């Protein structure tokens, strides 16, 4: 506390008395040197500015250059940065040293910054179900005005989270000159193309505006201007440093190489080269202003590109090597003087949050949002806890961004949460592609469109609709009504029309008959969600349909299907990913009671359950799953028979080749990720692995004899894409049954 107070007193004293001292102190303090280092009396030493260029991941090389300057004892009097240079420069100016900067670079979740989907443990249970049921992430916003294109390919939610996490300064600052080292960030006004120098406000937001690469991150609206990446106007902002009073400039430049003419072959190449040429033009203009007293450290990053954030160690080392080439000249600046001790702006212990105020532009109930952050009140303001709470709001899927600032009121420190709604009443459409091919005789393909409405009321009720067209055809819609602000109780009504193939196979795997199963179904259910980990529901299903033979031979060529059933189900899900989990458990159970009194073809009763567990060590993951289903009484109709067969379900057998009123399966799947997760920035993760499986399906009341179990296994290569999981695999089961598989996206 005393250290911070002394620092604030020093800043005020320095500003107030600087003119007096510069004039010789009016005879009061003759000969006192005008400097911030308490150096011996003498002529004022020149002011040194450190200027850091933009360059995407290449800007991480600035950390190595900073470390070499520190090694010589040179600490700049001011820092100016653009884009990634603004991020490194802002963190350095706020009080971090070179070693701390390197630790930050290593700790940043770069993969998360460029794939800022909420962590799955922040999603509601319904959102988890939707994610697992429709894996495609490619989509667009829609409203009454038409299709809404995103302002950036990547949300800035995770970027702001990381900037706030590592910036010691967390409050508004009237003047960035009051930072431990005076600082400026440079952005570009997209309306005029002019450089905008940011010298006050929230430091994380200033860095965020400077790094708003057009087409990647959304532009930032600030003081009536729409700001994008500063590299478009001044990628090496040397003149900004001059305006701050710099006598000597040390500029660190991380240029991107232009593409040779032989490699420019697509519209993407042309656009990329055009942007590079524009940036190079302003770089040359700025470099031309350097004098013989200045220093230009040009960093040669070799084959490392602007998107290679996974190569931070190599980039930092290139920065060190580049700075060393200028060390003989720069070392002359390393005067012998007492070290400067700075008290950081946030040297005091974090304040206790006395209140939370939410600026909510959506129609969601305030209490719903407040329930996500209320636990922060009365606790110290820790960035990790605040981020955790804000993630829960962002995960609702209705907000473009969820950010915060501090507010002082009546002697209390409050947290103001800014939950910025997307376009009001705008829903979201996602697109999916499904392909299943066993490279034998079975092949299915379909396109899917999924629509999810905006919140229909203050509790977050919604409409979801989906259409699938191809070898499998389906149209369905659901109205999901939330009954309380904590999103605990719900009712849901839905309807669907479905047409799909159902095949019957011989013991040897020959398709004996193929049916077209078509039916319409309506249901109403009610239930309770347990936090975001589970739910139970109970409902009634009514419908009608027909199964008609379209190929092969069967005793019955056509059969009517009437549906009148009671259904109860429960589910639990803590998996960290629905398709490639590394940790967590998923379990489900379902009970179905067909009643002729409700119009069903027969009185019957079935029950099924499954459990899956995933555990990992490093890049290796082991998944175990057990599932079983039983006919309790009656005769199960065609549409409720259990079906197994296909990849990971007795691999080697055809898809759904085995069917019966009862089934049991068990499997163990091994998966290894190629490359660390942190290395997946703009690419997609790649996996290899294999499985061991056993199981069977059978008719009647007899129990399964262990000797009747069928065994199978597989080896595979897989990836997680915008259309969902992709598998290329080979499976084999006992009796010589084998098949190769290509699976893309949602399986049928």
């Amino acid at each position: 506390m005393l250290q911070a107070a002394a620092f604030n007193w020093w800043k005020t004293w320095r500003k107030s008395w600087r003119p007096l001292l510069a004039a010789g102190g009016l005879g009061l303090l003759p000969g006192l040197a005008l400097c911030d280092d308490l150096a011996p009396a003498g002529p004022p030493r020149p002011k040194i500015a450190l200027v850091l260029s933009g360059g995407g991941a290449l800007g991480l090389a600035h950390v190595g250059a900073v470390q070499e300057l520190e090694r010589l004892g040179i600490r700049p009097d001011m820092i100016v940065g653009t884009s990634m240079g603004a991020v490194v420069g802002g963190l350095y100016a706020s009080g971090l040293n070179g070693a701390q900067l390197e630790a930050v670079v290593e700790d940043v979740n770069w993969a998360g910054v460029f794939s800022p989907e909420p962590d799955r443990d922040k999603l509601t249970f319904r959102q988890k179900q939707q994610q697992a049921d429709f894996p495609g992430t490619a989509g667009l916003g829609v409203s009454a005005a038409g299709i809404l294109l995103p302002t950036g390919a990547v949300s800035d939610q995770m970027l702001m989270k990381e900037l706030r996490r590592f910036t010691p300064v967390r409050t508004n600052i009237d003047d960035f000159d009051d930072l431990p080292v005076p600082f400026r960030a440079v952005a570009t006004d997209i309306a005029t193309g002019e450089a905008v120098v940011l010298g006050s406000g929230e430091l994380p937001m200033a860095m965020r505006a400077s790094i708003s690469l057009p087409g990647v991150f959304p532009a930032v609206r600030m003081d009536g201007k729409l700001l994008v990446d500063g590299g478009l106007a001044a990628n090496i902002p040397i003149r900004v440093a001059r305006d701050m009073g710099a006598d000597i400039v040390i500029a660190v430049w991380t240029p991107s190489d232009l593409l040779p003419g032989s490699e420019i072959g697509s519209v993407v190449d042309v656009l990329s080269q055009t942007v590079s040429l524009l940036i190079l033009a302003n770089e040359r203009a700025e470099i031309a202003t350097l004098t013989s007293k200045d220093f230009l450290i040009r960093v040669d990053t070799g084959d490392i590109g602007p998107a290679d954030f996974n190569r931070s160690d190599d980039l930092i080392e290139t920065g060190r090597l580049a700075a060393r080439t200028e060390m003989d000249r720069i070392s002359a600046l390393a005067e012998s003087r007492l070290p400067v001790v700075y008290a950081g702006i946030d040297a005091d212990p974090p304040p206790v949050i006395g209140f939370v105020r939410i600026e909510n532009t959506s129609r969601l109930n305030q209490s719903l949002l407040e329930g996500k952050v209320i636990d922060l009140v009365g606790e110290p303001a820790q960035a990790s806890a605040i981020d955790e709470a804000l993630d829960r709001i962002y995960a609702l899927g209705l907000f473009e961004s969820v950010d915060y600032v501090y507010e002082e009121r009546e002697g209390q420190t409050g947290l103001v949460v800014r939950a910025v709604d997307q376009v009001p009443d705008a829903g979201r459409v996602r697109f999916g592609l499904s392909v299943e091919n066993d490279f034998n005789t079975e092949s299915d393909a379909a396109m899917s469109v999924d629509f999810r409405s905006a919140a229909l009321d203050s509790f977050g009720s919604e409409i979801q609709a989906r259409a699938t067209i191809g070898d499998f055809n389906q149209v369905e819609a659901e109205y999901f009504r939330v009954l309380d602000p904590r999103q605990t109780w719900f009712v849901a009504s839905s309807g669907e029309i479905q047409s799909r193939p159902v095949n019957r196979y011989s013991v040897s795997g020959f398709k004996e008959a193929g049916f077209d199963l078509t039916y319409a179904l309506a249901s109403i259910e009610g239930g309770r969600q347990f936090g975001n980990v589970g739910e139970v529901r109970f409902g009634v299903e009514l419908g009608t349909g027909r199964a008609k033979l379209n190929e092969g031979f069967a005793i019955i060529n056509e059969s009517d299907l009437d549906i009148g059933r009671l259904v109860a189900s429960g589910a639990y899900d803590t998996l960290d990913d629905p398709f490639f989990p590394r940790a967590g458990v998923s379990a489900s159970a379902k009970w179905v009671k067909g009643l002729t009194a409700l119009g069903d073809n027969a009185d019957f009763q079935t029950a099924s359950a499954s459990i899956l567990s995933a555990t990992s060590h490093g890049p290796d993951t082991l998944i175990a799953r057990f599932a079983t289903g039983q006919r309790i009484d009656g005769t199960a109709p065609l549409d409720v028979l259990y079906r197994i067969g296909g990849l990971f379900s007795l691999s080697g057998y055809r898809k759904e080749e085995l069917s019966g009123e009862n089934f049991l399966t068990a499997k163990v799947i091994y998966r290894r990720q190629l490359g660390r997760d942190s290395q997946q920035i703009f690419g997609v993760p790649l996996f290899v692995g294999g499985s061991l499986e056993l199981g069977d399906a059978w008719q009647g009341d007899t129990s399964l004899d262990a000797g009747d179990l069928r065994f199978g296994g597989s080896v595979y290569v897989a990836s997680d894409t915008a259309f969902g999981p992709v598998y290329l695999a080979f499976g084999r089961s006992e009796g010589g049954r084998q098949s190769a598989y290509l699976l893309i996206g949602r399986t049928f």
Side-chain angles (χ1 to χ4, degrees), residues 237-411:
I238 295 168
R239 278 179 277 211
V240 176
R242 300 284 190 213
D243 293 340
M244 293 179 68
D247 299 307
I248 297 174
V249 170
I250 301 176
V252 185
W253 181 30
T254 56
S256 297
D257 293 334
L258 295 174
L259 292 173
S262 59
E263 295 183 14
I264 302 175
S266 69
V267 65
V268 175
D269 295 333
V270 172
L271 291 175
S272 176
Q273 188 83 332
T274 300
V275 173
S276 296
L277 289 170
L278 291 173
I279 293 174
L280 181 60
N282 76 58
E283 288 177 333
R284 287 171 174 169
E286 293 284 341
I287 291 173
T289 67
L290 293 174
T291 69
S292 59
K293 297 186 300 181
D294 302 320
F295 303 87
L296 178 64
I297 299 175
R298 187 185 191 281
V299 182
D300 182 6
T301 55
D303 64 342
I304 306 177
D308 291 334
F309 289 89
N310 56 297
R311 299 185 63 180
S312 58
D313 291 343
D314 295 334
L315 285 164
I316 291 173
E317 182 60 25
T318 62
R320 295 190 190 107
L321 295 174
R324 288 169 190 164
T325 63
E326 296 288 332
M327 281 299 101
D328 290 342
R329 295 180 59 219
I330 295 177
S331 60
L333 297 176
E335 304 173 20
S336 175
R337 58 183 186 268
L338 294 174
V340 183
V341 178
Y342 293 104
I345 296 295
D346 282 351
D348 292 337
V352 173
I353 298 176
F355 63 92
V356 173
R357 179 167 61 85
I358 298 179
E359 296 178 354
N360 172 24
T361 64
S362 77
R363 60 165 51 120
L364 287 182
N365 188 289
Q366 283 290 107
S367 61
L368 190 158
L369 304 185
E370 289 168 358
K372 308 287 186 182
V373 298
I374 193 63
D375 292 343
L376 298 174
V377 178
E379 298 295 327
Q382 300 290 348
S384 58
I386 295 172
D387 289 339
E388 182 84 7
L390 267 58
D391 282 350
R392 291 194 288 268
I393 296 177
Y394 181 69
L396 292 172
L398 302 176
F399 297 100
E400 183 176 338
S401 64
V402 182
D403 203 4
Y404 69 94
V405 294
Y406 291 109
E407 178 181 88
E408 298 296 329
R409 188 176 71 193
E410 299 178 355

Side-chain angles (χ1 to χ4, degrees), residues 523-548:
S523 68
I524 183 166
E525 298 176 304
R528 187 185 195 279
Q529 293 189 111
F530 297 91
N532 67 342
V533 299
E535 73 161 27
V536 293
R537 59 171 66 196
F538 180 84
V540 179
E541 295 180 347
L542 301 173
T544 184
R546 174 172 295 182
K548 185 176 182 179

Side-chain angles (χ1 to χ4, degrees), residues 437-439 645-648 650-655 714 727-732 738-743:
N437 193 320
D438 66 3
F439 296 102
L647 184 61
F648 302 142
L650 290 181
S651 302
Y653 282 89
R654 303 182 192 279
K655 183 186 68 174
S714 70
Y727 283 91
L728 183 62
F730 174 78
R732 184 178 176 88
Q738 60 187 29
S739 184
Y741 300 93
L742 171 63
L743 274 66

Side-chain angles (χ1 to χ4, degrees), residues 20 63 133 182 252 430 506 545 596 663 665 727 746:
L20 181 64
V63 174
D133 194 39
V252 185
R430 295 182 299 164
S506 67
T596 54
F663 87 100
T665 60
Y727 283 91
R746 179 190 179 205

Side-chain angles (χ1 to χ4, degrees), residues 131-280:
Q131 186 186 60
D133 194 39
F134 197 92
T137 58
L140 296 169
V142 292
S143 71
I147 295 176
L148 305 174
L149 297 177
T151 56
V154 177
S155 166
D156 65 346
Q157 183 69 22
M158 182 62 79
L159 175 61
M160 279 304 303
K161 177 179 175 179
E162 294 293 87
L163 290 176
R164 290 194 184 281
R165 182 160 71 102
F166 294 112
T167 306
V169 181
R170 306 194 187 283
T171 56
N172 272 312
I173 304 173
D174 293 332
D175 190 341
F176 286 174
D177 284 347
D178 294 337
L179 291 169
V181 180
F183 172 70
R184 298 291 185 273
V186 178
T188 301
D189 185 344
I190 193 62
T192 65
E194 296 178 351
V196 177
V197 180
L198 305 174
S200 63
E202 293 184 85
L203 181 57
M205 185 56 72
M207 295 187 289
R208 162 69 185 88
S210 183
I211 203 172
S212 297
L213 184 63
V216 178
F217 293 114
V220 174
R221 192 168 295 281
M222 187 180 296
D223 298 329
K225 298 177 179 179
L226 197 60
L227 305 181
V228 296
D229 196 291
L232 297 178
N235 204 42
I236 312 178
I238 295 168
R239 278 179 277 211
V240 176
R242 300 284 190 213
D243 293 340
M244 293 179 68
D247 299 307
I248 297 174
V249 170
I250 301 176
V252 185
W253 181 30
T254 56
S256 297
D257 293 334
L258 295 174
L259 292 173
S262 59
E263 295 183 14
I264 302 175
S266 69
V267 65
V268 175
D269 295 333
V270 172
L271 291 175
S272 176
Q273 188 83 332
T274 300
V275 173
S276 296
L277 289 170
L278 291 173
I279 293 174
L280 181 60

